[in-house]
Amino acid sequence: MSPALLLALLGITVPRVQALTCYRGTLVSVRSASELPLQWTTSQEHCEDGWSCQEVLMLMENGPHVYVVLIKGCTQAADHEALVTQHRAGPGLSIASYTRVCRENLCNHLSTSLPLWAPPLPTALGSVRCPVCLSAESCGSAAELTCPAESAHCYSGVLLLSAGSLTTHLKVQGCMSQAGCNLLNGTQEIGPISLRETCDPKAILTCHRGNMFRTSQDLTQKPVTWSANSEQLCNLGEVCQETLLLIDVGIRSLLLGSKGCSKARTQGSQAVSIHTGPPGVLVASFARFCSSDKCNSAASSSVLLNSLPHPAPPAPGDLQCPTCLSIFGSCTQNSDIVRCPKGTSHCYKGHIALRGGGLTSPVNIQGCLAQPSSSLLNGTKNIGVFSVIEDHDKAIVPDGAAPAPDLAWVGGLGLSLALWCGAPSLLIPFPHDS
Ligand SMILES: *[C@@H]1O[C@H](CO)[C@@H](O)[C@H](O)[C@H]1NC(C)=O
Ligand SMILES: *[C@@H]1O[C@H](CO)[C@@H](O)[C@H](O)[C@H]1NC(C)=O
């Protein structure tokens, strides 16, 4: 065994060479075939010890369009000579790649698409016409072109490409030499790029995407608009979702909304849930998972409000509780002491950690509660796309039927907290994903 290998097995790495500087850049673009061959310049980066320089160029030609993917930078991949691979031969749709990993300063210096490009050969045209399109959006009514005689099959599919944090989708229509959904001809990786394709248009949805966050006094009464300002192309197997969570403590309410793609929890479902109340703290939600394009299209919070009970404002009862609704911040110091509605019997103090759908929000809650159960969510772990964890103190049942509430005020905030919360204020840490 060589000393170097022995050291490697022991987990000790010996700096063999100095850290390299490599060209660095990413290009993902649909171009006109007439722009080829392409040329580019990129910036540089300093690598960590032992890393190499990488360059990957992928070209997908499709009649008048070319899809270009270029990735350059430092890598831990094994060194290899320049490699040109024809993954799918033309005429018509064709895919080729150039990959190289080298260990010299700025050795990933390919600056043109020439290694993968040859002037198009004259080809005899056949009689088949296909729509021809490369688009990150929708192909719509793509122009039809007459196919080369050797490529007499129309292909229509979606190419999913990911490399590190980069993920893109490309709708592809064009002429191919084979029938079926096999543009990639078995290729799944090109260097750091992972490739997948699907020809089932329903397998990939477009969904509305956007988050909403509102706090106000009257969100249980007045609907607010719930629009999403962008769209999202989902990954294979995902569906559209929209989730709206309403928390109201009487003096303040909070709405959290999320729209986007999601791995289906319960496909094709729509539900309004009232997790707690009224009277007292209200926690209610609307959640929908659906599987047609942009079906997560609820336009206002009335999808939830219309399903809530709207009793006449309850008469004030005898109970008083510290009341607070705080997102991100804590409730411990500044809670208002509020006279609770009739029908409530406990003071609640707790915290809901909420994650998912692009949101991470700890919500602190104090208020009046009707049920003897001291929980708002009763163990619920999921509300639509949100994962929720509730953490709460034992609900306080004030002694005596009618505590002398005004006395609490006399003593000021400190006394009222002591009276109604019993225990010293507690900062509940935000739970982390397990
Ligand atoms: C498909 O890939 C195989 C090897 O991976 C290659 O020999 C063949 O030519 C490819 N087919 C086409 C149509 O490009
Ligand atoms: C709370 O959950 C338990 C079991 O999950 C259920 O039996 C009970 O009815 C629920 N309570 C309320 C108030 O929904």
Side-chain angles (χ1 to χ4, degrees), residues 87-89 185:
H87 304 276
R88 157 68 57 191
N185 187 24

Side-chain angles (χ1 to χ4, degrees), residues 53-130:
C53 298
Q54 179 172 55
E55 55 192 348
V56 178
L57 171 66
M58 179 187 119
L59 285 191
M60 177 162 70
E61 299 191 47
N62 185 22
H65 314 292
V66 188
Y67 183 51
V68 185
V69 180
L70 174 71
I71 296 174
K72 281 174 183 277
C74 304
T75 183
Q76 286 183 293
D79 299 359
H80 67 83
E81 293 296 308
L83 186 66
V84 170
T85 311
Q86 186 80 45
H87 304 276
R88 157 68 57 191
L93 275 162
S94 71
I95 301 177
S97 70
Y98 171 99
T99 57
R100 181 170 183 225
V101 179
C102 50
R103 198 176 285 266
E104 267 172 58
N105 277 325
L106 301 177
C107 58
N108 58 341
H109 47 51
L110 184 72
S111 61
T112 107
S113 61
L114 270 176
L116 293 186
W117 183 85
L121 299 169
T123 50
L125 293 182
S127 56
V128 172
R129 289 171 67 80
C130 297

Side-chain angles (χ1 to χ4, degrees), residues 92-336:
L93 275 162
S94 71
I95 301 177
S97 70
Y98 171 99
T99 57
R100 181 170 183 225
V101 179
C102 50
R103 198 176 285 266
E104 267 172 58
N105 277 325
L106 301 177
C107 58
N108 58 341
H109 47 51
L110 184 72
S111 61
T112 107
S113 61
L114 270 176
L116 293 186
W117 183 85
L121 299 169
T123 50
L125 293 182
S127 56
V128 172
R129 289 171 67 80
C130 297
V132 171
C133 161
L134 288 182
S135 171
E137 308 294 320
S138 126
C139 277
S141 50
E144 280 201 357
L145 298 179
T146 303
C147 294
E150 296 165 63
S151 290
H153 300 275
C154 292
Y155 175 88
S156 177
V158 179
L159 195 65
L160 296 102
L161 182 148
S162 61
S165 59
L166 167 83
T167 351
T168 70
H169 305 65
L170 188 75
K171 299 212 166 144
V172 181
Q173 295 185 336
C175 308
M176 208 162 75
S177 55
Q178 277 182 338
C181 189
N182 188 23
L183 172 64
L184 292 173
N185 187 24
T187 304
Q188 297 205 326
E189 314 281 335
I190 299 178
I193 305 173
S194 296
L195 293 160
R196 299 288 181 274
E197 71 184 306
T198 176
C199 298
D200 174 5
K202 288 206 221 79
I204 297 198
L205 288 180
T206 305
C207 303
H208 292 290
R209 169 164 64 180
N211 291 330
M212 175 185 47
F213 163 74
R214 286 285 196 97
T215 68
S216 161
Q217 277 182 349
D218 51 5
L219 294 171
T220 59
Q221 304 295 328
K222 280 207 189 122
V224 295
T225 52
W226 185 21
S227 58
N229 43 19
S230 68
E231 290 176 6
Q232 179 179 22
L233 212 49
C234 299
N235 286 318
L236 278 177
E238 291 185 333
V239 299
C240 298
Q241 70 79 22
E242 52 189 346
T243 304
L244 196 59
L245 175 65
L246 171 66
I247 303 175
D248 178 79
V249 296
I251 53 171
R252 200 156 177 237
S253 44
L254 166 69
L255 260 182
L256 285 171
S258 165
K259 288 175 192 269
C261 301
S262 165
K263 299 227 182 308
R265 283 224 170 87
T266 36
Q267 194 167 341
S269 72
Q270 173 173 330
V272 166
S273 309
I274 298 174
H275 307 279
T276 293
V281 175
L282 169 75
V283 180
S285 65
F286 167 87
R288 170 148 67 158
F289 292 87
C290 54
S291 50
S292 61
D293 274 340
K294 298 189 222 168
C295 56
N296 57 343
S297 58
S300 94
S301 62
S302 56
V303 287
L304 174 58
L305 302 195
N306 290 349
S307 302
L308 296 182
H310 288 290
D318 298 324
L319 180 66
Q320 294 199 3
C321 294
T323 296
C324 162
L325 182 58
S326 169
I327 187 159
F328 303 119
S330 87
C331 276
T332 48
Q333 294 308 314
N334 306 315
S335 301
D336 297 304

